[in-house]
Each structure stands twice: as C-alpha cells, then as structure tokens.
Amino acid sequence: MADNEEKTKSEGQPAKSEGQPASPPAPVPAPAQKTAPPAAQPAPKPPPAVQPRAPLTKPPPKPPAPGRRNFLKIMTVVGGILGITPFIPYGAFFTGGGAGSSLERQRIQKSDAVFANVNNMVPDSAAIFVYPRTNDPKLDAEPFRRYQLIRLAGAHGGDSREVSSFRAYSMICVHLWCLWDYVPGREVVIDDQNIVGNLECPCHGSNYNVLNGKAYIGPAADQTPPNDALASLPLEVDAAGDIWVTPPNTSFDQNGIVGIGREV
Amino acid sequence: MAEKYKDKNLILKLVLWIIDRLERTVFLGFRFTFPRKFLSPMGFSGMLTFSTFVVLGITGAVLMLFYQPGIEGAFDSVRLIEEEIPLGFAIRNIHYHASNAMVFLAVLHLYYQYFSGRYKIRNEIIWVTGLILGVVTVLEAFTGYDLIFNDRAELAISIGVGLTVFSPVIGPQLAAFIWGSGFSDFLLRLYALHVFTIPLVMAVLMFFHFPKFLVFDIPLLTATTGIIMLTGGIFPVDLGVKFDPNVPPGLTVPEWYLTGLYAFIRTGFDKFVTGGLLPALLILFFLAVPFVDTGRKFSWKDRPFFTALGLGSIAQILVATVWGFYINPDPTLPTVERLLIDPVPLFSIMLIGLLISFAITYGFLKARVVFGSKKRTFTKPVPISLSGRWTATIIAALLGTQVLLNVLAIQALNNGLLNLALFEVGAVFLVFAAVFHVYRAAKPELPKTKPQELPKPTPVATKTPPPAPAPVIARAVETDSTSE
C-alpha cells in the first residue's frame, strides 16, 4: 500500500527506478495504476480499485444461528462487565491505606519544645502542639496533627490550676480545613454571654466559642451538626502541674473527628 | 528519489527530504499559515495560548531539575531556585507569568469565539474540548501555585481538599482517591498532577481541539513571550511566607482566576453550592450554547440574546473577581467582619450586571435601527511603503537596539539586577518582533531573488499561479477567518 501512495504522488516523473519491481504481482494496486496516468488529481481513483474486492465484502447469505450468536454476545458483555467490576478494591491503591500511629497518653510539648505546665501557661493564652507526637519530622509537620492548648481567661475560671481551665482543639477549621488562630483578649458576645478570647479562621471567617469549640458565626456556624464544632482532646493535669493528653475517643459524641466535627 | 532533489543546494535538499518524510506523520495534517502582514491576534488567540503552553512546558521542565516536592523540601527548593541558582529567578518568573498569561488568553479566546459564533459550523466538539481545556488549564495553574507550599499555598490546598471532601455522596472517598491522606500525600500528588497527568490530558485534548488550519504568526508569538518577560520584570513574583505549622497563617487572597470563587465562598452559603455549583453554572452555560443557539447567524449583532448573555457573564465574572480581592484592611476588626461578604449586594449587583448588559445590547441594536448604522466601507488600508534603503535603515536601527538591550541585560545581570535583566530580555523579544514585522511588511519592495517554490501542478494549466505575494496575503486573510 505504501508503494501505491508513493507512485500516485510522484506520477509526473517518467523515470522511476524504485518501486517498480515489487508492484507487478500485487493484484490490487495494478488497476489503480492503469487508470492513473491521464488524471491530474489523485482523488477520483479509489472506486475502480475497490471494485475487485466488492464480491468479497458481500458474503453469501448464511443460515443464521441467532441463538448461538446472541449467547456469545451476551457472554462477551457479561465478561466485560465482570472484568471491570471492582471485586478487588482497585481504588485502594490510590487511598494509600493511611498512616496509622497509635494513640497513647502523651505529655504536651509546646512548639517551643517546652513541656506545657500549669506554671508556664498564663490565663488567656494558647500554645500549638502535635498529637500524636512521633519522631518522624514529616508526620510531626502535618497540619492535621496540630492542636492548640488554650488556657481560658480569668473570667472563665482560667486562674484555676485544675484541668477545667484548659482546652485542646484541633487547628483544622471544619469549614474548609484552614488553620484557625487564637486571638487573646478579644471580647465577643455569644448567646448574650460575654466571652474573652476568640478562635478565628483566616480563610472565610468562621469563629468558634473558646469554651466548647462550637462555631457561632461565619460559614462553619451554618453547617449542620456535628459539622460545626472542632475536634478536641481529653486532658489531664498531674501532681507536678504537667499537662497530658489521654487517648481520645474519635466518635462524634466524644472528641470528634479532625476536620469533620463533633457534637456539642 | 535523487531525481527530485536535483538542482537543489544541500540545505534545501535536507529540508525537502525531511518534509517528505514528515508527510507520513500526523504533524503535517495541520496547515500552518505564516501571515505576510499584521493580523488581529484575536483570530489566532488559541495559537497564542498554545505558545504559552509551550513556554510553560520548557520552563517547567527546567524548574523540575531543582524543585523538591514534599512538606520539608518544597519551599526551600523554590527559594534555592529563586535566590541561588543562576537565572533561576528568571525561569521561575517566566513560568509564573506565563501561567497567568495562559489563563488570561484562554478566557480571551473563549469570548472571542463566543461573540463571533464560531461554535457553529460543525465546531461543537472543538468548542466542548476547548471548554474542558479551559477548566483543566485553571486546575493546572492551581496545582502549580500550591507547589511552593507557602502560607497561601497551604490554605489553598486545604480549601481544595476540603471542597472535595464535602462534595455530596462520594466526597470522602473521592478525596482519599485523589488526594490521599495528609499533606505529604497532597503535595506529592499535586506535583504528579501538575507535571505529568494534567499536561498529558491537555495534550490529548488538544488533538481534539486544534482545527486543521493554524496561523503561525512569528512576530506576535515572540511578542507574547516578550510581554510575559516584561511583566515578570515589572512585577516579579514573591516567595510569600514559608508555611510553619506552629504559626497560623494570616489573611491571604488566592490567585486572580480564583478570587471569584473565593468571593462566593465568603458569602457563607453552603460550600458545595458556592464553591462548586455556581462556577459550574458558568461552564454549563457555555457547554449548552452551541446546542441551543443553532441559528445560521454568526455575528454578535444578529444574535442579541446570546450577545447579552455573554456580556452579562463578563460583567458577573468581573464583579465577583474584584469583590473577592477586597478584604477590609482594618486589623482590629474581628476576622469575620473583615471577610464575610454580604450575599445580598454581591448577588444583586451580579444580577443587575446581567440586566444592564441586556439593556445595552438591545438598546444598541435598536439605536442602530433608529438612527441607521453607518455603512462601513472597507477601504483598503494604505500600506506603509518604504524604499528598500529606508527599510534596511530601520531594520539596522532595530538590530542595533537589540544589541544595546542585550548588553544592558548582561550588565544588569552582572550587577544583580535580576528583574531589570528580565525586563530587558523581554524588550529584546519585542524588538525582534518589530524587526520581523518590518521585514515581512517590506518584503514585496525588496528585489526578488528567485521565483517562488510551489509544488508544480500538472502541465494542464487550469490556473497559472499568479506571480508574487498577493495571493499569499489573500490566503492569510482567508485562513484567518476559518482557523481556530
């Protein structure tokens, strides 16, 4: 076929040294070439070339075997469907399985590498920490493992050395997963209650109540519960005043799920 | 074989030999036209978009040599490219500004084709693949600016993943499938998507988008590249603030092609509606247009309804985009007051924009009927005819400017003025475009050295090819109206 194209393209040239020896025995190109020389354009040639083949394309009417034919067709389709049906969870490759790390009781280490203590956390302040803390820098840099330890302002009993003056919330905003920040000293009114200290997200302005981690204004506040409160961590204060995280229960009615929410 | 190439010099022989063989490939299926005079770039804005794609491919391939994907390395490697690697600053700036140019040119291309009704005449598939290409282009740009992993990128990734997770029914599964879990996964996958998967998808889509006839206007392609460099010199892109998980990010605004979406989300309505459905409405509108507007009229004047809708969509995009940029600058206010956009004025102004565009369109067409439109007579523009000597002088002067700018650029580079050097190299490109244009405009004036090389038809001369460049111009104009 390649020879055939070459010839029709350069037919103006009389002396052709190559391409000749191969062509004579080939039955199909021969008629095409016979008709070719007078015509200037190569376009109208195909019909004569096709004609010798025409009888082949019309097979004599065979006795049809519809039942068998249909059966084969159906089996092919079924086989195709079975072939692409995910009996095996093919998508599991893409989810990667998720890196699990054990949730254990851990002392809170603030981002300045000091262990959080009742004595180094003044009322109305916050510190960022990682939970669960590992020795893998990649995992410890993960925003989804960031929490803020907040000591409430004095107005909310933050002067107490008990665990009741502390809160630990996931830093991931439940609206679209940006990282909120604690604004100390900001006075807000939530349900006719004056609250000191505020949790504000810089992306779309969701604000959370520092006392219970529930959104009270901004887009997160309009979401349906439990998608409107930050995940939290259970805390403990030991005799030396060090603050510990005890393993959380990641159900909505307990500590909630990071980025998704908690029932308040 | 040898016969055919007789009487040709060695270089021409090689070129002909290569062209003969290229005919066996798909490449010569495209018909390239090299216009001999200035044409409006709107007619081939698609080609300009593609040229920025090529620029992005080249600069991106070079940036890959030093960029490290991942939480720890990403920002520092970009800083290394920016500050340590010789010319890294220029490459990164060209890459960044070319991405902006590509999004901008794609939008321009879309609207030009829309207003001139090119989605008709069996161009529906070209239109649909073009829209998909446009969306994919924005995704590509989005994945690109996340790779730096500064504060803004971190927030953008969070929002992207968050929008995926909270999409209905299959959200969490889809997010795990696309993004994996955790920022390590996110960054690596963004990188894989950005450098391989999405460009591959774009390249495949281009085969179903490109028309057969393409205008390859060398001066304007060069000028586009030059303008990208000029912009890079004037507004060099900054690194931003390195993301530190121990320091919560401040208020940031996304890239300009996403601020419209940002404005929607900031209204506080459901995030899937504002972040997914509203932008999808625009895309769906454009997708539906060729199947709704099936009339035989092409000009925007004859399709007032669709003209008004198009103008209205432009107005709405502008309103949302500009509004998305605005954040109350008073830092003492609570963030919610600075960020939250009141949906009533935003959406009512967008609606008013649509109404105004209808009023303008129909009013304009009515006025044309009442006052009568001025009959536009197409007078042939008077060509600037210069003598050969003057042409040579101008070209020589421009070449001198090029040399001077090159020297200045080297000087700036040696003095560490990187953005000035980038600016001057951009200017060199622009001057080259001018040289090329003057040359081709003056070409008919120059003495002809040899007859034109045309594939000789058969001796039966149905039409003898007229002598010189006149038919070429005609062909250029003609292909301009059919290409892209």
Side-chain angles (χ1 to χ4, degrees):
Chain A
M1 285 317 270
D3 275 348
N4 192 20
E5 281 172 32
E6 186 106 293
K7 245 165 250 148
T8 53
K9 202 165 67 69
S10 57
E11 61 208 331
Q13 317 252 325
K16 271 298 245 168
S17 58
E18 55 160 17
Q20 271 176 351
S23 50
V28 179
Q33 214 171 16
K34 248 167 238 160
T35 55
Q41 300 291 339
K45 268 171 296 169
V50 173
Q51 233 152 23
R53 272 198 216 129
L56 285 179
T57 56
K58 266 186 201 158
K62 266 184 198 164
R68 202 170 134 195
R69 189 68 54 88
N70 285 345
F71 176 73
L72 288 176
K73 270 183 197 166
I74 289 168
M75 289 318 282
T76 313
V77 170
V78 168
I81 291 172
L82 287 179
I84 59 168
T85 311
F87 281 122
I88 298 175
Y90 299 111
F93 175 82
F94 292 94
T95 57
S101 38
S102 58
L103 301 176
E104 55 194 19
R105 189 168 180 270
Q106 268 184 351
R107 243 167 113 183
I108 290 179
Q109 190 176 20
K110 298 196 290 181
S111 57
D112 52 5
V114 178
F115 287 106
N117 188 287
V118 176
N119 297 321
N120 62 23
M121 290 281 296
V122 296
D124 195 14
S125 73
I128 296 175
F129 69 97
V130 183
Y131 182 84
R133 191 171 68 246
T134 60
N135 290 321
D136 182 348
K138 211 185 245 179
L139 286 179
D140 285 355
E142 177 64 60
F144 288 104
R145 293 173 177 234
R146 296 278 145 166
Y147 292 80
Q148 287 217 33
L149 175 68
I150 300 168
R151 186 165 185 178
L152 300 176
H156 308 301
D159 296 329
S160 156
R161 294 172 62 88
E162 299 294 315
V163 72
S164 64
S165 65
F166 291 96
R167 298 284 187 275
Y169 299 122
S170 158
M171 275 183 78
I172 304 288
C173 173
V174 293
H175 177 228
L176 282 173
W177 292 9
C178 294
L179 301 174
W180 54 264
D181 196 11
Y182 180 71
V183 186
R186 179 159 280 161
E187 294 180 16
V188 292
V189 179
I190 305 169
D191 297 336
D192 302 329
Q193 191 187 357
N194 287 317
I195 305 249
V196 181
N198 197 23
L199 275 55
E200 301 180 357
C201 178
C203 281
H204 311 101
S206 297
N207 283 19
Y208 297 89
N209 185 340
V210 68
L211 296 181
N212 56 11
K214 190 176 161 70
Y216 65 90
I217 196 170
D222 299 334
Q223 297 182 156
T224 45
N227 193 208
D228 64 344
L230 298 168
S232 69
L233 287 177
L235 300 173
E236 267 181 28
V237 178
D238 66 8
D242 281 335
I243 305 165
W244 295 72
V245 175
T246 54
N249 178 346
T250 56
S251 64
F252 283 126
D253 55 349
Q254 296 286 316
N255 295 110
I257 300 170
V258 171
I260 304 296
R262 180 168 58 97
E263 267 170 26
V264 177
Chain B
M1 181 211 277
E3 288 290 322
K4 210 171 152 190
Y5 304 136
K6 239 164 65 174
D7 312 330
K8 308 280 187 335
N9 68 37
L10 199 65
I11 296 172
L12 206 58
K13 256 185 205 167
L14 181 66
V15 170
L16 286 174
W17 188 89
I18 290 173
I19 288 178
D20 272 359
R21 266 116 202 109
L22 280 181
E23 273 172 1
R24 289 287 156 94
T25 69
V26 71
F27 182 71
L28 286 194
F30 295 117
R31 296 272 177 274
F32 289 96
T33 307
F34 300 86
R36 286 277 178 88
K37 62 170 195 174
F38 178 79
L39 297 176
S40 162
M42 299 305 285
F44 53 94
S45 48
M47 194 65 194
L48 295 183
T49 315
F50 177 67
S51 79
T52 56
F53 179 75
V54 173
V55 170
L56 284 164
I58 295 168
T59 50
V62 179
L63 287 173
M64 271 173 79
L65 301 180
F66 294 100
Y67 176 76
Q68 292 177 5
I71 282 192
E72 314 104 352
F75 185 85
D76 290 333
S77 66
V78 177
R79 181 157 57 197
L80 183 84
I81 292 169
E82 176 94 0
E83 291 170 1
E84 305 289 333
I85 308 287
L87 301 184
F89 170 89
I91 302 283
R92 177 166 174 255
N93 266 282
I94 295 171
H95 194 72
Y96 171 78
H97 283 93
S99 77
N100 283 341
M102 186 168 176
V103 175
F104 180 75
L105 285 169
V107 174
L108 202 71
H109 180 53
L110 166 73
Y111 274 106
Y112 181 74
Q113 308 299 327
Y114 175 83
F115 285 119
S116 49
R118 298 281 182 82
Y119 47 77
K120 303 182 174 191
I121 44 171
R122 290 192 289 129
N123 277 344
E124 285 86 352
I125 286 188
I126 290 185
W127 177 258
V128 169
T129 49
L131 277 170
I132 301 172
L133 262 176
V135 175
V136 173
T137 303
V138 173
L139 288 181
E140 172 77 349
F142 171 76
T143 55
Y145 89 79
D146 290 345
L147 290 181
I148 309 162
F149 205 48
N150 52 17
D151 268 5
R152 189 171 74 157
E154 199 276 340
L155 297 181
I157 297 171
S158 293
I159 294 171
V161 180
L163 277 176
T164 322
V165 166
F166 293 115
S167 38
V169 190
I170 53 162
Q173 287 79 12
L174 188 69
F177 186 83
I178 299 175
W179 300 103
S181 52
F183 270 76
S184 259
D185 278 9
F186 300 166
L187 274 183
L188 201 56
R189 289 181 186 209
L190 280 167
Y191 180 65
L193 287 171
H194 183 74
V195 304
F196 181 75
T197 314
I198 299 181
L200 184 74
V201 168
M202 290 171 84
V204 171
L205 280 173
M206 279 172 194
F207 273 99
F208 298 93
H209 181 66
F210 278 14
K212 247 181 208 159
F213 295 94
L214 293 169
V215 180
F216 199 85
D217 190 50
I218 293 170
L220 270 170
L221 293 179
T222 323
T224 311
T225 316
I227 289 168
I228 287 170
M229 291 186 191
L230 284 182
T231 336
I234 301 170
F235 308 106
V237 54
D238 59 351
L239 282 168
V241 182
K242 180 178 180 175
F243 173 70
D244 178 353
N246 295 321
V247 182
L251 271 59
T252 46
V253 174
E255 285 288 348
W256 58 273
Y257 36 80
L258 293 176
T259 50
L261 209 149
Y262 184 53
F264 289 156
I265 295 180
R266 276 166 58 190
T267 55
F269 285 135
D270 179 67
K271 49 205 168 192
F272 179 70
V273 173
T274 51
L277 288 187
L278 281 183
L281 260 180
L282 183 76
I283 313 288
L284 285 178
F285 158 67
F286 277 120
L287 274 179
V289 158
F291 307 102
V292 178
D293 176 23
T294 49
R296 308 202 62 166
K297 298 281 178 28
F298 282 79
S299 166
W300 58 271
K301 293 173 207 136
D302 303 324
R303 303 178 293 129
F305 180 71
F306 287 95
T307 304
L309 277 180
L311 279 180
S313 69
I314 291 179
Q316 294 185 330
I317 289 172
L318 282 179
V319 168
T321 301
V322 173
W323 210 309
F325 269 110
Y326 178 73
I327 290 179
N328 192 326
D330 182 0
T332 57
L333 286 174
T335 19
V336 64
E337 279 177 38
R338 297 173 65 188
L339 283 174
L340 215 59
I341 290 178
D342 193 347
V344 177
L346 174 67
F347 289 119
S348 52
I349 287 181
M350 284 176 64
L351 206 64
I352 290 168
L354 189 64
L355 295 179
I356 288 178
S357 58
F358 265 93
I360 288 178
T361 312
Y362 280 97
F364 176 77
L365 292 175
K366 185 100 179 166
R368 280 178 88 236
V369 175
V370 172
F371 299 109
S373 60
K374 250 183 266 169
K375 196 78 180 169
R376 262 178 81 186
T377 48
F378 283 98
T379 51
K380 214 178 171 189
V382 185
I384 306 166
S385 56
L386 289 169
S387 66
R389 172 185 291 249
W390 268 108
T391 310
T393 315
I394 289 174
I395 289 183
L398 286 174
L399 288 179
T401 318
Q402 256 184 321
V403 172
L404 180 71
L405 281 169
N406 267 316
V407 171
L408 286 176
I410 290 172
Q411 213 172 22
L413 198 63
N414 287 341
N415 293 334
L417 301 170
L418 295 173
N419 52 346
L420 185 63
L422 187 59
F423 181 90
E424 281 158 353
V425 174
V428 170
F429 272 65
L430 282 182
V431 176
F432 172 78
V435 170
F436 201 106
H437 177 68
V438 170
Y439 171 73
R440 74 174 172 185
K443 211 177 175 196
E445 306 291 325
L446 296 177
K448 268 172 70 127
T449 50
K450 60 176 175 184
Q452 217 168 6
E453 208 71 60
L454 282 176
K456 262 275 189 282
T458 43
V460 193
T462 50
K463 243 185 221 169
T464 50
V472 181
I473 293 174
R475 197 173 62 197
V477 174
E478 186 187 298
T479 48
D480 170 47
S481 61
T482 54
S483 68
E484 316 211 4

